[in-house]
Amino acid sequence: MGPGAGGLAGALSLAGALPAGPPLLLDTILPGGDALSHGRGLDCWEVRKHNSSEWCHFIRSNPDCRLDGGFLDYIDGVFCVFPPRLLPLAVTLYALWLLYLFIILGVTAEKFFCPNLSAISTNLKLSHNVFSLTSPLHGVTFLAFGNGAPDVFSAVVAFSDPRTAGLAIGAIFGAGVFVTTVVAGGIALVKPFTAASRPFLRDVIFYMVAVFLTFVMLYLGRIRLGEALGYLGLYVFYVLTVVLCTWIHRRQRGDGLAPPGPWEPEMPTDVEEPETSGTSSGDYGEEYRPLLPSRETSLRILTTALSPLDYRKWRRKPWYWRLFKAFKVPVELVLLLTVPVVDPDKDDLNWKRPLNCLHILTSPLLCILTLKSGAYGLYQIQGIFPVWGLVTLVASALALIIFITTSNEDPPKYHCVFAFLGFLASAMWINAAATELVNILRTLGVIFQLSNTVLGLTLLAWGNSIGDTFSDLTMARQGYPRMAFSACFGGIIFNILVGVGLGCLLQMTSSQPLVKLEPDSPLVWVLAGALGLSLVFSFMTVPAQCFQLGRAYGICLITYYLVFLCVALLTEFRVIHFS
């Protein structure tokens, strides 16, 4: 089984599926209405049925085992580089690299992608009401994009290959079930509260519409251009609804400070003081402050800006925090070298002249060397001069000009441009990490003969949701349970509508106006049904409790997820059969 003419990805079937058929086949329909045929050749997961001496030949001779995109060929590595007796070692190394990729995604989104998005919105003079603390839902636009960037990039990358489309469906639905049950239930267990009634009903209704729309697309077996645009249009309508409701509410209360009603997130009285990486007068700041003002040299500014550690904070933290920080330091150092960050809250806007001038060189190089796994960056102009060389020359000259014409103390007027550069560079980092993540998950599916859907609803969904889980539970412990609960239902609306809509839209061209989805495994329907039932359960029980959510509600949600997970795994391993 091999790709058709033009290398259309629709000519490949999904690897890593069960013998009964792949969980999701994604075909491309030509204008005439005929689907590109899927040859029923050897799927890549069948490699384990052969003798270990034949594994490498099978992998390298089977087109279905080729990974599209990415810098490393994980399937070739595990079956050809490692001898068969060291397969457990290879799996262990892949699992550790998978965890590290999740760390890369989290650090990039939290410390580089989101801050630059905030700086862009500030420079464009966009209203921050749609993601402020007193808004019914913080983050329906820029903040939602920042928090959901790993999920959306993973979905787009997975949809780009028919063999990994099941990962996208599994991750989107699986994360939806996880967040609306485990995370929402955990918030109720940590701190019982009164839910924000109007935002809750609004968000659940929109999310149920999005799930129902996806269910219909799976039932019909295809997504047309208009339907893909409908996903994005529905999210735009959701954002406008949130903004309109906020505006109406503020008009009703006269734009003044009023006691929070049942539809507002309460302002806590016992909020823990957030930690800062810098020093203050209460954190030995006065002790380390020089008596006389002095100007730092460019070399010292560069070395200080490239240090991802605050040594005074390091000494106060427990051992497990230090251990996790040690794993993040290499990632943060590379990101500091390649991604500029503009901080509107600082007096100097985080202007570091030597480092920002270095970013003029490293950020464009990063973009062209990660785009299409470096295919564009390594392309040679007229077969003589590589593109990366041209970018290096132009960027070096521009960096030199900026360094000469600026000072260390005052940021230039065009400093806001660095926010756009940082946004682009961090997006390329997230895209590259998401591509490697999807390829590793597909490799694990081949090794263990697991469908991509079950890998998506477990590993990919858990990995992408772990950051939201900790942030929402921490927010609840600090006295913001309403806001955290609203984020459970509001944030994942962005993931499903933009993830599916954009993922399928990027697969369509003028010659390929339709994407066909074929859910051949009952696990897809188990996922869709479980997500729909969890939403209906919350939609009925929360108003029935007069929006008073306590530990009983949290226990019910967590129990529901455990039952769903057992049913999904039993379905995957053919213990439970559906007609």
Side-chain angles (χ1 to χ4, degrees):
M1 178 175 61
L8 293 176
L12 296 176
S13 63
L14 187 66
L18 295 172
L24 186 68
L25 293 180
L26 186 147
D27 298 321
T28 303
I29 303 301
L30 298 178
D34 297 328
L36 293 174
S37 61
H38 283 268
R40 299 306 301 168
L42 294 177
D43 287 333
C44 193
W45 62 268
E46 294 183 4
V47 64
R48 297 298 301 276
K49 293 183 177 181
H50 293 70
N51 294 329
S52 59
S53 60
E54 301 175 355
W55 285 355
C56 186
H57 175 72
F58 180 91
I59 291 297
R60 292 180 174 176
S61 61
N62 190 352
D64 192 53
C65 296
R66 297 171 186 168
L67 296 176
D68 294 333
F71 293 93
L72 300 175
D73 192 339
Y74 299 100
I75 296 181
D76 184 84
V78 74
F79 290 109
C80 296
V81 177
F82 287 90
R85 67 179 182 276
L86 294 182
L87 182 61
L89 175 61
V91 172
T92 302
L93 294 177
Y94 280 15
L96 294 176
W97 177 232
L98 180 69
L99 293 176
Y100 204 69
L101 285 172
F102 280 121
I103 293 177
I104 294 175
L105 286 172
V107 171
T108 308
E110 177 187 1
K111 295 190 175 182
F112 296 87
F113 193 79
C114 289
N116 281 313
L117 276 175
S118 177
I120 290 174
S121 66
T122 300
N123 282 282
L124 295 179
K125 294 181 172 53
L126 298 178
S127 173
H128 283 243
N129 290 335
V130 292
F131 52 92
S132 64
L133 291 178
T134 57
S135 175
L137 175 63
H138 75 297
V140 297
T141 50
F142 283 99
L143 193 55
F145 188 27
N147 292 339
D151 308 77
V152 172
F153 275 97
S154 298
V156 170
V157 171
F159 270 121
S160 66
D161 190 340
R163 298 166 297 176
T164 56
L167 279 173
I169 296 297
I172 290 174
F173 278 177
V177 179
F178 181 82
V179 172
T180 57
T181 55
V182 175
V183 181
I187 293 171
L189 287 174
V190 168
K191 191 175 184 65
F193 65 101
T194 302
S197 57
R198 297 184 193 178
F200 169 77
L201 295 176
R202 177 199 63 216
D203 295 341
V204 171
I205 290 174
F206 268 97
Y207 196 37
M208 286 194 295
V209 171
V211 172
F212 178 76
L213 180 62
T214 306
F215 184 88
V216 171
M217 294 301 102
L218 290 172
Y219 180 78
L220 296 178
R222 86 290 183 272
I223 296 182
R224 293 196 177 103
L225 177 61
E227 293 156 348
L229 293 175
Y231 273 89
L232 302 178
L234 182 59
Y235 184 73
V236 172
F237 179 64
Y238 167 71
V239 172
L240 294 177
T241 302
V242 173
V243 175
L244 180 62
C245 291
T246 305
W247 180 78
I248 292 175
H249 170 60
R250 292 183 182 276
R251 285 293 299 270
Q252 288 177 345
R253 74 177 193 177
D255 290 327
L257 294 176
W263 58 89
E264 298 179 69
E266 72 278 15
M267 299 302 293
T269 57
D270 56 345
V271 179
E272 299 177 6
E273 184 178 356
E275 292 190 19
T276 59
S277 58
T279 59
S280 62
S281 59
D283 189 21
Y284 310 105
E286 296 292 343
E287 178 182 347
Y288 291 96
R289 185 174 301 170
L291 296 177
L292 297 176
S294 61
R295 292 187 177 184
E296 292 184 311
T297 63
S298 296
L299 180 60
R300 180 171 179 83
I301 292 176
L302 179 63
T303 55
T304 303
L306 287 177
S307 176
L309 284 177
D310 184 336
Y311 295 101
R312 292 187 292 272
K313 184 177 180 180
W314 174 273
R315 289 195 298 265
R316 299 195 309 268
K317 290 296 183 178
W319 66 269
Y320 54 85
W321 184 93
R322 298 183 187 182
L323 180 63
F324 185 61
K325 183 67 175 180
F327 282 107
K328 295 196 299 182
V329 163
V331 178
E332 294 178 349
L333 180 60
V334 174
L335 289 170
L336 286 172
L337 278 169
T338 56
V339 182
V341 177
V342 177
D343 190 351
D345 296 329
K346 293 184 177 180
D347 293 336
D348 62 352
L349 304 178
N350 200 38
W351 166 250
K352 312 294 181 184
R353 185 178 68 147
L355 181 58
N356 288 142
C357 291
L358 183 62
H359 287 149
I360 296 295
L361 173 63
T362 57
S363 294
L365 281 176
L366 166 74
C367 293
I368 65 167
L369 291 178
T370 55
L371 187 63
K372 291 295 181 180
S373 303
Y376 293 145
L378 298 178
Y379 175 78
Q380 292 189 344
I381 303 173
Q382 300 293 328
I384 301 175
F385 199 71
V387 172
W388 67 264
L390 177 62
V391 172
T392 301
L393 291 177
V394 175
S396 299
L398 183 60
L400 182 60
I401 294 174
I402 292 177
F403 186 82
I404 295 174
T405 57
T406 57
S407 65
N408 291 333
E409 291 75 23
D410 300 319
K413 295 181 179 180
Y414 51 82
H415 185 223
C416 61
V417 177
F418 284 87
F420 292 90
L421 181 61
F423 165 77
L424 180 60
S426 56
M428 296 304 298
W429 269 116
I430 293 176
N431 181 69
T435 302
E436 302 299 318
L437 187 70
V438 169
N439 287 341
I440 284 188
L441 288 175
R442 179 167 180 258
T443 303
L444 294 177
V446 172
I447 295 173
F448 296 107
Q449 298 187 10
L450 296 173
S451 69
N452 287 311
T453 304
V454 75
L455 290 172
L457 74 92
T458 53
L459 295 180
L460 188 55
W462 295 339
N464 285 338
S465 302
I466 194 67
D468 295 333
T469 302
F470 282 113
S471 62
D472 289 342
L473 293 180
T474 301
M475 194 183 303
R477 284 196 300 267
Q478 293 181 348
Y480 291 87
R482 287 184 192 165
M483 186 182 299
F485 190 73
S486 296
C488 290
F489 292 91
I492 52 180
I493 294 176
F494 175 86
N495 296 345
I496 187 171
L497 291 178
V498 178
V500 176
L502 187 62
C504 292
L505 186 64
L506 293 178
Q507 297 310 109
M508 301 178 187
T509 63
S510 58
S511 60
Q512 304 167 7
L514 187 147
V515 172
K516 188 176 181 182
L517 303 175
E518 295 180 358
D520 288 341
S521 170
L523 186 57
V524 176
W525 305 114
V526 172
L527 261 175
L531 180 55
L533 285 176
S534 69
L535 293 175
V536 172
F537 173 78
S538 294
F539 185 72
M540 296 178 63
T541 57
V542 172
Q545 301 175 80
C546 298
F547 299 93
Q548 301 285 337
L549 304 183
R551 291 180 172 84
Y553 174 73
I555 292 174
C556 289
L557 288 181
I558 295 176
T559 303
Y560 177 87
Y561 182 79
L562 294 177
V563 173
F564 150 74
L565 194 60
C566 291
V567 172
L569 294 178
L570 292 175
T571 303
E572 169 70 15
F573 294 111
R574 315 297 292 177
V575 177
I576 297 179
H577 298 273
F578 293 91
S579 58

